[in-house]
Amino acid sequence: MPWYKSGTVSVTQNSNAVIGAGTAFIANSRVGDAFRGPDGGWYEVTNIASDTAMSISPNYQSATNAAGSYAVAPMQGYVKDSADALRSLVNQWGQKLAALGTTGNYEILPISKGGTGGATSGEALTALGFSNFGKSLIDDADAAAGRATLVAAKSGQNSDITEITGLSKPLTIAQGGVSPGYIEGLLLSWNSANSLSVGTGAAYIPGTGKVVQVAAALTLSALSLAANTWYHIYLYDNAGVAAIEAVTIAPATPYFSRARNKNSDSSRRYLGSMVTNSSAQLHKIIHLQNSTVFYLESLNLAPFLVVAGAATAFTAVDCSSIVPLTSKEAKTNYLLTTNVGNAFIANSEVNFTPSASNYLLAITLGSSGSADLVLDASQRFTYALDATPGSGLFRVRVSGYRFER
């Protein structure tokens, strides 16, 4: 390799110091190299202090020279560039390589040594404990392929979701779900004096926060009933199966809009009520979609005939024996057969004093018909005639009611 000759040197007779100008001794000379001084003499490089200072041996023999030419020649018997490259590699990576210890003894570095344990990506993932599912997901080219592997729907507006089943918590109204008062179908049916059914449909159960669906009619038979007693029918979830019960425990006040549950038991959703007669037999009814119930009984006698009188002072009429506490609207037929006077109807909750000029409904002499009477909270209305008749009576029969559920 060429000798190094860049710059000039200053040497002093009988001194071992060589001071360079424009020199780079560190990168281009080594201890043991030969130094040819300005006098043409040869000396050994004994120390390299910096790019501009080195020491020689023996001391410089000739006359002092402040800017003489010189040369440094390698005399070690090695390829200097290779040695320099190796030194640089050792300086940069020696400690790091030493820290790897025995890891250098493997063609495929095991996981215990910080490697992947595989020659290919598939082998590496297997060695790292990835399942086939996980490897497939990692191998997916894009998000759409990843969703296909996950069997997952895209977020935001999309057409991926076509059906939702098995939710542990129903969607809220804001999410497009049903309201807490949701009910559809589930109409009551009279089967016999001691048997009733609930038809198909579904309803929200407040205690569980879920909708219970009735896929086929549910029937209660051979009921043990008491006379002149209201029985309230409730829907509930019996370990994942829709079920009903008929009990005397009344429903609570509405928990949402007009929806009710059993008093002190939000796991039971109120569906409707049925009442027994004096012989402990269920009165026959028909339940319509708009929460209206009509009695399929003779209305000429009690308890359906609620008025057969001629009072001239407003008199309270109690309908609670045939109108449940969940209703404030009685379906009625009326007939006024007195020889004089008109009839007027109100209730205890009106914001006026009932009279012949203040009323909810007026019935003229000799008339008959049907009317929906507004009841108070105790299922009562009031009536009065404006004249004492010499003959005849005012009659009101309750044919049904509309209720809340």
Side-chain angles (χ1 to χ4, degrees), residues 194-361:
N194 63 355
S195 175
L196 63 90
S197 294
V198 171
T200 59
Y204 181 92
I205 308 296
T208 61
K210 299 179 181 180
V211 171
V212 171
Q213 181 177 354
V214 177
L218 302 175
T219 299
L220 297 175
S221 299
L223 294 171
S224 178
L225 305 172
N228 301 316
T229 302
W230 280 104
Y231 288 88
H232 309 287
I233 296 88
Y234 299 98
L235 172 70
Y236 65 98
D237 183 344
N238 184 16
V241 179
I244 57 172
E245 64 180 12
V247 296
T248 58
I249 299 174
T253 56
Y255 68 84
F256 180 85
S257 185
R258 293 174 295 177
R260 299 172 183 251
N261 55 255
K262 186 178 179 180
N263 195 22
S264 301
D265 189 352
S266 60
S267 69
R268 265 60 173 168
R269 175 67 186 274
Y270 175 65
L271 302 181
S273 304
M274 296 179 73
V275 67
T276 58
N277 59 23
S278 58
S279 299
Q281 298 174 332
L282 292 171
H283 280 299
K284 189 172 184 178
I285 64 165
I286 181 171
H287 182 188
L288 305 181
Q289 284 285 1
N290 61 350
S291 294
T292 299
V293 169
F294 284 103
Y295 287 103
L296 302 179
E297 302 269 4
S298 173
L299 306 180
N300 289 326
L301 301 173
F304 306 103
L305 179 62
V306 293
V307 176
T312 55
F314 274 88
T315 301
V317 178
D318 186 359
C319 301
S320 62
S321 62
I322 47 173
V323 176
L325 58 79
T326 53
S327 172
K328 294 185 70 175
E329 179 183 325
K331 304 290 184 179
T332 65
N333 300 320
Y334 60 82
L335 175 63
L336 182 58
T337 61
T338 57
N339 61 332
V340 294
N342 302 304
F344 303 92
I345 292 178
N347 69 44
S348 64
E349 294 176 351
V350 295
N351 194 27
F352 55 83
T353 300
S355 67
S357 58
N358 290 296
Y359 48 81
L360 295 177
L361 176 67

